[in-house]
Amino acid sequence: MIGYYAHHHGVGHVTRADAIARSMSEPMTVLSSRTRPPGHAAAEWLSLPFDVDESTGSVAQDSSAGGVLHWAPHDVDGLTERMAIIAQWVAREKPSAVVVDVSVEVSMFLRLMGVRVIVMAIPGERTDPIHGLAYRSATHIVAPWSREVYDPSWLLPYADKTTFSGSISRFAARERTSLPSDPTVVVLGAAGGTSLTRDLVDSWSAVDARFEFRALGVAGGDWIDDVWPVLCSAALVVTHAGQNAVADVAASGAPAIVVPQARPFDEQSATGRALADGSIAEVLDTWPSVARWHAAADRALDLGGARWSALRTDGAPTRAARAIEQSVLRRSRQ
C-alpha cells in the first residue's frame, strides 16, 4: 500500500493525489487535513488535525526550530496530534512508501521512521537548505511538469532519482469536448487566494464585445463541478499560474493569459517565466487593466494553444504513478 500526504493549502495537492491514484496498480491512502472530496479515488482517507492553533490567534513560537525547518512551532496541539496519527498509521499499516506533497517536516518524520519517501517537487526557488533536507533524503522525486519547459538548476543534483512526469491534470484521460456557444473568455479563480475580482472581469467585458465572459471560482462569479467542457470550448482562458490550473488549461489546449500570484518561494512566478520563455501563453505580472486588455488578449490569441503540448499532460498521471511504484520496487530489491 502507498500513502500520499496531501497538504491542505488550496485544493491542488488533493486533486493531484486523485489523478495519480486512478493510475496506481496498488491502493493508495491519502493523509490530509482537507476533507475528502466526493468521488476521490483513494482507497482510504486518514484525516489529520491542522498544524496551526486557530483558536488563540497567537504567534507561533520558534516555528522554524532555529532555522532548521519551515514549520515546527512549540505548543500547537494539532501538530502533535497529526504527527502521532501518522506514526500510528505507519506502525499499523507498514506502507511500502509514502508520497509527500508537500512538507519537509512530514518527509523527514517519515524518513526517521524508516519509510521510503517520494517527494513531489514544487516549482520556485527551492535552493534553501531546508528543502534540501527533503530532496537529499528522498527515495525518489517526482517533478510534475515537463523538463522541456522547466528544468531548474536546484534539481540537477538529484537528477539520478528524479522523474519529470509532465504536468498532471485531473482531465488528462478525458476526451476534448466542445459546447456550442458564443466565443467565451473563461476566467479562473484560485482556492489558494487571488487578487482577481468580478468587477475587473466585468470591466474587460464592457470593452470587448467579441466575447462572452465567464468567471469561475471568482468572488461573485459562477461555480461549476465540471469545468472541463467549459475549458474545451473557451476561445481564451485567463488564469493564475497554479500547477493544477496550468495543467488543466494545457490539457484543453485553449489560448491563455497567465498571471502568476504571490506564493512562497515564488512558485507561480517560476511557472510563469517558464511559460513565457517557451512562448506557450501570454504571461503578465498583474491582471490586465482595461487599457491593456485588448493587447493582452490579442497576443494570447496570436500565440494560440498549440505549444501547450510541450507540458506533456497526456499520460502524466500514469508516468507519475509508475515512477512511484517502480522506485519502491527498485529500492526493495537492493
Side-chain angles (χ1 to χ4, degrees):
M1 182 264 293
I2 300 288
Y4 196 112
Y5 173 82
H7 199 278
H8 52 268
H9 184 73
V11 299
H13 306 289
V14 167
T15 300
R16 182 154 55 206
D18 179 58
I20 294 174
R22 295 179 187 279
S23 295
M24 298 284 286
S25 60
E26 61 179 296
M28 174 191 287
T29 295
V30 169
L31 299 78
S32 183
S33 298
R34 288 197 71 87
T35 301
R36 180 175 188 156
H40 198 284
E44 302 287 344
W45 195 276
L46 187 67
S47 294
L48 303 175
F50 287 102
D51 55 0
V52 295
D53 190 344
E54 297 180 321
S55 62
T56 65
S58 59
V59 177
Q61 298 297 310
D62 193 18
S63 60
S64 69
V68 176
L69 298 168
H70 289 142
W71 184 249
H74 290 302
D75 306 322
V76 175
D77 290 343
L79 177 61
T80 303
E81 292 169 9
R82 77 196 328 255
M83 292 306 194
I85 291 171
I86 291 172
Q88 291 164 5
W89 174 79
V90 169
R92 181 177 66 251
E93 301 294 339
K94 296 179 173 54
S96 54
V98 177
V99 181
V100 179
D101 184 8
V102 288
S103 166
V104 172
E105 293 74 27
V106 172
S107 295
M108 298 310 301
F109 185 71
L110 288 164
R111 183 62 188 87
L112 286 167
M113 293 190 71
V115 177
R116 293 178 180 86
V117 176
I118 292 92
V119 170
M120 297 297 293
I122 302 291
E125 298 303 320
R126 311 288 171 173
T127 56
D128 61 285
I130 302 174
H131 277 106
L133 280 174
Y135 295 131
R136 288 199 305 273
S137 62
T139 296
H140 200 73
I141 299 168
V142 176
W145 58 77
S146 164
R147 192 172 193 174
E148 174 189 347
V149 174
Y150 180 55
D151 190 10
S153 60
W154 51 264
L155 259 183
L156 292 178
Y158 319 109
D160 62 339
K161 61 176 182 179
T162 299
T163 296
F164 292 82
S165 66
S167 294
I168 298 174
S169 170
R170 54 187 159 159
F171 304 126
R174 291 181 61 174
E175 294 184 3
R176 291 176 176 82
T177 60
S178 182
L179 294 175
S181 65
D182 295 325
T184 302
V185 174
V186 175
V187 184
L188 299 179
T194 174
S195 57
L196 184 63
T197 66
R198 180 57 191 264
D199 286 346
L200 182 57
V201 176
D202 288 344
S203 73
W204 300 335
S205 176
V207 297
D208 197 340
R210 294 176 295 176
F211 306 106
E212 297 291 329
F213 283 73
R214 189 168 186 184
L216 303 177
V218 178
D222 296 334
W223 178 265
I224 58 174
D225 291 331
D226 186 7
V227 73
W228 178 241
V230 179
L231 287 177
C232 290
S233 63
L236 175 65
V237 176
V238 183
T239 181
H240 55 92
Q243 289 184 83
N244 281 260
V246 168
D248 291 349
V249 176
S252 77
I257 296 172
V258 178
V259 184
Q261 303 296 283
R263 292 293 186 270
F265 303 99
D266 291 334
E267 173 187 334
Q268 291 201 15
S269 295
T271 298
R273 286 192 296 271
L275 296 177
D277 291 346
S279 299
I280 294 167
E282 171 69 2
V283 180
L284 302 176
D285 293 333
T286 60
W287 302 109
S289 64
V290 172
R292 296 178 63 197
W293 167 255
H294 274 279
D298 289 345
R299 286 193 298 267
L301 293 170
D302 287 344
L303 284 173
R307 281 286 293 155
W308 280 123
S309 62
L311 273 68
R312 301 177 65 227
T313 55
D314 289 346
T318 300
R319 286 190 291 272
R322 296 292 85 80
I324 292 164
E325 294 174 336
Q326 290 170 12
S327 66
V328 173
L329 289 173
R330 284 196 300 270
R331 299 292 173 169
S332 63
R333 289 169 179 167
Q334 292 178 354

